Amino acid sequence: MTTIDLTALALDRLAAYLKRPVTPADLDRRYDELGVDSVDMVSLAFEVEEALGQPVSPEIFLEFESIREALAAIASGRGNEIG
Amino acid sequence: MTLWGTPVTLDYNHRAVSETPQALLDPFREYGDVVWLPKLNRWLVLSQPAAMETLRNSSLQVLKRRDMALRLEDQVGLNLAALSSVLNWIPFSHDGARHSDLREAFGRLLTSITADYLKAYEDVSSELLEKMRVAEQGDFATGYADRLHLEIVGRFIGVPPSERQKLACHTALDGFILNNASVREIRDANTQLAAILETVHALISSGQSSPFLEKVGDALRQTGLEDTPTSRSECIVALIVLGDDTQAGALTVGLASMLDACDGALCLDAADNGLPKGQSLVDEVLRIASPVKNSARYATEDTMICGHAIAKGENVTLSFQAANFDPKAFPCPHMLKDGRRGHVAFGGARHLCTAMPLVRKTLAITFRHLATIGRIEARPGRQLAACLTVHRYEHLPIRIVPEP
């Protein structure tokens, strides 16, 4: 799955978690600005894991300042290096 | 974010800190008692005084883990019913009225079972150590520490000996507490808890009675909580979860620290072994073991910890491992020494562990028994559990050399 596919998945799921529209620009915002918390990160890691068919640690999101950076790292194969 | 004019540039990695806590936590102390971790977007409480302030601060509340589990269930479409039902009985997952009820119920229960528990502990401890003494070796983690609590609760509720290990929940704890766990770990924890709940519920529903089950029912009713087979089952499983790993952690890390202090060969009955004696030894072992590694809080309003302003909504991680190794409160913190006071291994204030008196007595029993079996020597193969929540060894091989 490419970064673009993961981006579409993240936009869809974050909109559901946050119960409001989420734009591509939101993926560059800091987590606290975006309004997501640890439960959202755990959920998103699971959705990405299911889509990729390989383990993704929620801690990958703590390694980066924004969801876009974390998704790029996951797409490049770093998703299960942590933990 | 800066503190005292110095930017905190160190990275905090949960798993790395979990593996080598003191080496990685000490550098943070240069920044103060409480430091802001930008990447984790949370405060880290490091010193013993700051830990006490945090525990006493009613504006800093525990994470509502059951609510988190229910949200996760909703977001990813998983069934986490067993997990959320047991979390409903875990005191440190609640504040307010539910927390008060749980404290009262567990307080009543532990008071009523203390004598029976200690008697059973004496018996099980003797039996397990006798096997190691005869074999002149064993794994203190898997052959003793991991088994005590399960054996005792298993006997109390009538689980056949061959099935008591089914009550173990070691592998599930991070997932259960939702401590930086993946959904896979949380799902596994739910599966494991569902199996334990089913075992306990089946025994209770079969109509089999025991003094222990009656005491559980009494504690629930006297607290004003519903007394049903389901509530008894959930309460008992919570008791199993709360005692299993923490007791194993105190025992295994405790013995390992005593062995290290005695260069790998321990004679607990020797007056000149250099270790503290009596209750001092118990409390020092608990301080060094810090079986519960950390605890999370969030600010319900603007507040302060040791002069640091914590804004409403901000998260705080209280590291018990850091506070109990605070060199200002405990000089030479790696050493077991007489006369220290003020460790926070049991938490504190409204979240002080209800089982504290019982745990201290059980450790004293273990040390008394260990003192009678001979010289204990460390063997290679010691292995820490890869658990973010509880500090314990999953393997601690020892040799037992009979004393002449």
Side-chain angles (χ1 to χ4, degrees):
Chain A
M1 187 172 265
T2 65
T3 308
I4 293 171
D5 296 326
L6 289 181
T7 301
L9 174 70
L11 288 171
D12 177 66
R13 300 317 303 150
L14 288 170
Y17 304 161
L18 299 173
K19 297 181 172 47
R20 64 171 172 79
V22 176
T23 67
D26 285 328
L27 301 185
D28 295 311
R29 298 170 68 187
R30 286 167 46 100
Y31 301 132
D32 53 339
E33 292 172 352
L34 181 57
V36 293
D37 64 12
S38 60
V39 174
D40 299 317
M41 294 295 92
V42 170
S43 296
L44 185 58
F46 175 69
E47 302 278 8
V48 173
E49 181 175 307
E50 292 282 280
L52 292 175
Q54 63 188 50
V56 174
S57 168
E59 291 168 66
I60 188 83
F61 291 104
L62 299 177
E63 289 289 296
F64 298 94
E65 301 271 329
S66 70
I67 286 179
R68 190 184 303 284
E69 289 175 47
L71 292 178
I74 292 167
S76 68
R78 281 206 53 206
N80 59 357
E81 284 178 14
I82 301 164
Chain B
M1 176 67 64
T2 62
L3 292 164
W4 301 347
T6 312
V8 177
T9 54
L10 298 167
D11 272 347
Y12 181 94
N13 179 300
H14 280 299
R15 289 201 189 268
V17 167
S18 184
E19 286 161 14
T20 51
Q22 303 314 330
L24 294 177
L25 286 168
D26 277 348
F28 285 96
R29 296 187 196 280
E30 291 178 23
Y31 295 92
D33 291 356
V34 184
V35 301
W36 175 253
L37 305 174
K39 274 193 178 176
L40 298 188
N41 201 29
R42 63 176 52 240
W43 294 92
L44 175 65
V45 174
L46 292 159
S47 74
Q48 190 269 358
M52 288 310 301
E53 268 197 37
T54 303
L55 291 164
R56 289 177 181 140
N57 189 328
S58 58
S59 302
L60 296 170
Q61 302 237 328
V62 297
L63 301 184
K64 307 289 185 288
R65 295 178 193 278
R66 182 166 185 260
D67 294 347
M68 290 164 68
L70 293 172
R71 240 181 83 199
L72 202 57
E73 204 171 33
D74 181 51
Q75 287 188 352
V76 297
L78 283 177
N79 177 355
L80 300 176
L83 191 139
S84 57
S85 66
V86 178
L87 280 172
N88 197 32
W89 290 85
I90 301 294
F92 64 74
S93 182
H94 299 272
D95 271 308
R98 180 68 183 171
H99 175 249
S100 300
D101 284 347
L102 294 178
R103 267 191 73 86
E104 182 181 342
F106 279 108
R108 286 180 185 279
L109 176 61
L110 291 170
T111 301
S112 67
I113 67 168
T114 289
D116 292 339
Y117 192 96
L118 292 175
K119 171 70 174 65
Y121 193 100
E122 290 267 6
D123 295 344
V124 176
S125 170
S126 297
E127 289 164 21
L128 296 174
L129 287 180
E130 177 61 12
K131 284 182 190 164
M132 281 192 224
R133 191 191 65 76
V134 170
E136 297 189 359
Q137 63 168 351
D139 186 328
F140 186 74
T142 59
Y144 182 83
D146 289 353
R147 296 183 56 187
L148 276 159
H149 188 61
L150 299 181
E151 282 290 326
I152 294 165
V153 178
R155 287 180 188 194
F156 281 175
I157 60 176
V159 178
S162 61
E163 294 186 20
R164 285 179 194 153
Q165 207 53 32
K166 283 186 186 171
L167 302 177
C169 42
H170 282 328
T171 58
L173 202 70
D174 285 341
F176 175 63
I177 302 298
L178 313 179
N179 189 0
N180 288 291
S182 68
V183 168
R184 207 163 2 98
E185 291 167 307
I186 295 167
R187 189 169 50 190
D188 290 348
N190 183 72
T191 303
Q192 206 165 356
L193 284 170
I196 301 171
L197 266 174
E198 190 181 330
T199 300
V200 174
H201 194 266
L203 279 165
I204 293 175
S205 300
S206 70
Q208 187 175 325
S209 187
S210 74
F212 175 75
L213 291 176
E214 290 311 309
K215 285 171 182 171
V216 173
D218 290 344
L220 296 180
R221 287 192 305 278
Q222 287 163 7
T223 308
L225 296 170
E226 194 180 30
D227 177 22
T228 64
T230 299
S231 61
R232 285 190 187 191
S233 306
E234 291 170 352
C235 177
I236 291 168
V237 174
L239 187 70
I240 292 170
V241 171
L242 289 166
D244 187 15
D245 269 20
T246 49
Q247 187 177 63
L251 289 166
T252 57
V253 183
L255 178 59
S257 63
M258 290 191 289
L259 282 165
D260 293 346
C262 297
D263 297 324
L266 172 67
C267 293
L268 255 176
D269 64 338
D272 60 350
N273 61 16
L275 297 174
K277 306 296 176 210
Q279 202 56 52
S280 271
L281 179 61
V282 169
D283 276 308
E284 271 296 86
V285 158
L286 285 162
R287 178 185 67 80
I288 284 190
S290 297
V292 178
K293 294 179 177 180
N294 49 57
S295 180
R297 299 282 192 277
Y298 72 98
T300 55
E301 57 188 346
D302 290 352
T303 188
M304 304 282 283
I305 309 174
C306 285
H308 294 270
I310 312 292
K312 179 181 177 180
E314 286 185 335
N315 291 305
V316 175
T317 292
L318 194 176
S319 169
F320 293 118
Q321 291 183 306
N324 281 334
F325 276 70
D326 176 357
K328 287 181 186 161
F330 309 106
C332 302
H334 293 270
M335 293 179 68
L336 294 154
K337 292 174 80 170
D338 256 324
R340 303 209 207 247
R341 300 179 69 84
H343 74 71
V344 288
F346 290 107
R350 67 192 187 280
H351 284 286
L352 180 70
C353 175
T354 316
M356 179 178 75
L358 182 62
V359 172
R360 293 170 90 205
K361 286 176 183 163
T362 59
L363 281 189
I365 292 172
T366 291
F367 296 166
R368 177 159 48 78
H369 289 179
L370 286 174
T372 64
I373 61 170
R375 189 172 75 243
I376 301 163
E377 295 180 356
R379 288 169 53 214
R382 190 187 289 188
Q383 191 180 335
L384 271 176
C387 178
L388 294 170
T389 308
V390 170
H391 187 204
R392 69 178 176 87
Y393 283 100
E394 61 186 14
H395 292 292
L396 184 60
I398 55 171
R399 177 179 297 112
I400 296 171
V401 181
E403 293 282 25

